[in-house]
Amino acid sequence: MPRNPSTGIYSKPAGTTPSVGQIVDPAPWNQLTSDLGNEITNSLPRDGSAPMIAPLKAASGTSTGPGFGFASNPQTGIYMKGGGLLGFTQNGVDIAFGRASVYSAKSGDYTALASDDNAVLRFTTAATLTLTAAATLAANWVITVIADGGDVTVDPNGSETIDGATILLIPNGYSAFIVCSGSAFFTDKVLTRLLAKADSSAVGSFIDGLTLSNNVGSPNTHIDFAAGSARSGSSFVSSAASFTKRVNGTWAVGTGNGGLDAGSVAANATYFAYAMRKDSDLSFDVVLSTSATIGGVNTTLLAGYTIVKCIGVVLTDASSNIRPFIMNPRDDYTYVTPVKDAVSAAISPTSALLAITVPNGVKSKAKLRIQFTSSATTNAALIHDPAQGTLTAGIGNDGGIAGAIQVAGNYAIGSNDIWTNTSRQVRQVAGAAGNIWVWTDGFHFPCGRNA
């Protein structure tokens, strides 16, 4: 009889156990030799000269005693794990192999499925990647996302989170490796470190670019900011493209929208421009405020933003329009039309403060030109920084910035760059009574530009 297919045990036919003097019956003996021939034929040659013609079954084994092992190292081989999973062991230690990855290009929004496990998704445009529920994807589900044509927003299912946040924004040019725990999603934090590396160890303060100018289409209400970057201490933000804000509207996110932190645009006002960084994705924006310090900015509308640095200043005229200006290197501003801040104003040996058209609330260096006349001869006019105290005009005293009057009633002219006080004032004085005209060509308000 043949070998039992379930147990592999061979039982020889009855009548094939002879005794001395017994007459041999050829039928069972012929059956025995036929069975033995068949079983030898069905056996696997040890020299590998013939293959198996049916599945080879082995014991399940363990990691220390695999079902398929090697004579020289029986602890290395293949065994059956729990749940019908195939296991590999090497010197009695279980080993695992990475799953094959699949590349796929996406040109729009996409929902990641369980079948995307270990996929590499390359987005060629701005898009949203929606994640199926973590419980459905299960633990150990992984995916790599590349933003190559626009920002990619990764949005977990429902209230689920990724790195503890409701969304993950992958800026254009960056990528992220995402893994599912079965209840939430996490990244390898490389993206976070890349985006925050400028903050992690950088110090100092500077502005590169971000120069201000009147908008060509709406110069009275809109201000353009050139591409650039700004840093203050360890905070950094950059903009790869030009950006526009308007003074006739309260702040709203994005270019072209309102910029005021509060209220409405006022006449003869000073608005300081502050570069901001959105906390969630590090994107750039600008807010305009009458406050000369970051601490004084009204942040009611600015939730989720960090104010990085003051990058410039905008002045309005009596009609609440932005004064036309040209911004030169190193934070230098020149008015398109000089402002006449004094017209035949009285000047005398009694020192007095004179308000001029420069930023309010900060010291700035005004670019001034003057014209001076007096009925007294050898008379000089002096305009100076109020921080110097009270000076006296004249060659025998503290000098002047205008040529001395040699003939009564004649005119003398002069120019200089003078620092103001925080109330946008300079101090004026003359050797004798006279009249003065003052033109303000612009000012220097240092924010930190080196070029």
Side-chain angles (χ1 to χ4, degrees):
M1 61 184 299
R3 188 181 309 196
N4 188 307
S6 299
T7 64
I9 297 174
Y10 174 78
S11 300
K12 65 180 183 176
T16 56
T17 303
S19 58
V20 177
Q22 176 185 352
I23 297 175
V24 175
D25 183 351
W29 282 95
N30 288 338
Q31 181 65 48
L32 173 62
T33 56
S34 178
D35 285 347
L36 292 175
N38 289 335
E39 293 307 322
I40 291 173
T41 299
N42 288 332
S43 298
L44 188 65
R46 294 179 63 190
D47 62 4
S49 60
M52 290 292 296
I53 60 174
L56 182 63
K57 300 180 179 67
S60 295
T62 63
S63 60
T64 56
F68 288 96
F70 299 88
S72 60
N73 190 343
Q75 289 187 311
T76 296
I78 303 173
Y79 71 101
M80 183 67 69
K81 290 183 176 182
L85 300 177
L86 190 62
F88 297 84
T89 180
Q90 183 170 284
N91 293 324
V93 178
D94 190 56
I95 61 175
F97 299 95
R99 290 157 289 185
S101 62
V102 177
Y103 165 80
S104 179
K106 304 296 181 183
S107 58
D109 296 345
Y110 181 71
T111 299
L113 307 174
S115 58
D116 290 309
D117 184 23
N118 208 37
V120 177
L121 303 182
R122 172 175 161 262
F123 286 84
T124 58
T125 186
T128 296
L129 173 63
T130 302
L131 301 178
T132 298
T136 301
L137 298 179
N140 301 321
W141 181 92
V142 298
I143 197 169
T144 299
V145 181
I146 302 171
D148 191 20
D151 297 345
V152 176
T153 300
V154 181
D155 186 10
N157 181 266
S159 60
E160 292 177 348
T161 61
I162 181 166
D163 284 346
T166 55
I167 64 168
L168 171 70
L169 188 133
I170 306 174
N172 185 30
Y174 289 82
S175 63
F177 178 79
I178 301 170
V179 61
C180 178
S181 69
S183 59
F185 298 90
F186 302 91
T187 71
D188 57 3
K189 304 300 190 294
V190 172
L191 174 64
T192 304
R193 296 299 298 164
L194 284 173
L195 294 176
K197 68 176 183 177
D199 289 347
S200 63
S201 61
V203 295
S205 179
F206 69 81
I207 303 172
D208 181 17
L210 300 179
T211 52
L212 285 66
S213 62
N214 293 90
N215 179 267
V216 175
S218 303
N220 293 333
T221 56
H222 290 54
I223 286 291
D224 292 338
F225 300 85
S229 58
R231 175 189 307 288
S232 180
S234 62
S235 296
F236 176 85
V237 69
S238 65
S239 176
S242 62
F243 206 84
T244 302
K245 282 295 183 183
R246 56 187 179 88
V247 298
N248 59 344
T250 52
W251 187 87
V253 62
T255 185
N257 292 324
L260 299 183
D261 61 341
S264 56
V265 64
N268 298 315
T270 299
Y271 294 100
F272 297 90
Y274 293 95
M276 300 192 301
R277 182 184 65 187
K278 190 174 182 179
D279 299 332
S280 62
D281 60 18
L282 310 184
S283 59
F284 174 87
D285 214 309
V286 175
V287 65
L288 303 170
S289 175
T290 56
S291 172
T293 63
I294 290 178
V297 176
N298 188 321
T299 59
T300 302
L301 301 174
L302 310 180
Y305 281 83
T306 295
I307 302 176
V308 175
K309 184 174 177 59
C310 181
I311 58 173
V313 66
V314 177
L315 274 63
T316 59
D317 60 19
S319 299
S320 301
N321 293 325
I322 298 171
R323 289 187 180 276
F325 67 93
I326 299 167
M327 190 171 187
N328 303 303
R330 299 181 182 274
D331 296 316
D332 181 270
Y333 298 74
T334 297
Y335 295 128
V336 173
T337 302
V339 181
K340 191 177 288 188
D341 281 319
V343 179
S344 191
I347 188 170
S348 72
T350 301
S351 180
L353 292 170
L354 173 67
I356 56 176
T357 305
V358 293
N360 187 42
V362 293
K363 288 175 67 69
S364 62
K365 181 175 281 189
K367 299 189 290 186
L368 302 179
R369 290 182 291 112
I370 71 169
Q371 189 162 328
F372 170 57
T373 187
S374 174
S375 59
T377 59
T378 64
N379 190 9
L382 174 62
I383 295 180
H384 64 89
D385 183 350
Q388 293 177 286
T390 301
L391 302 182
T392 302
I395 192 169
N397 296 299
D398 300 311
I401 67 167
I405 300 295
Q406 298 300 315
V407 178
N410 275 7
Y411 292 88
I413 61 174
S415 65
N416 207 348
D417 293 348
I418 306 294
W419 281 101
T420 70
N421 60 19
T422 57
S423 298
R424 61 187 185 88
Q425 297 169 322
V426 292
R427 189 167 282 279
Q428 65 173 21
V429 66
N435 297 89
I436 193 169
W437 290 254
V438 177
W439 291 264
T440 304
D441 283 323
F443 55 89
H444 174 78
F445 172 55
C447 282
R449 288 178 177 82
N450 294 321

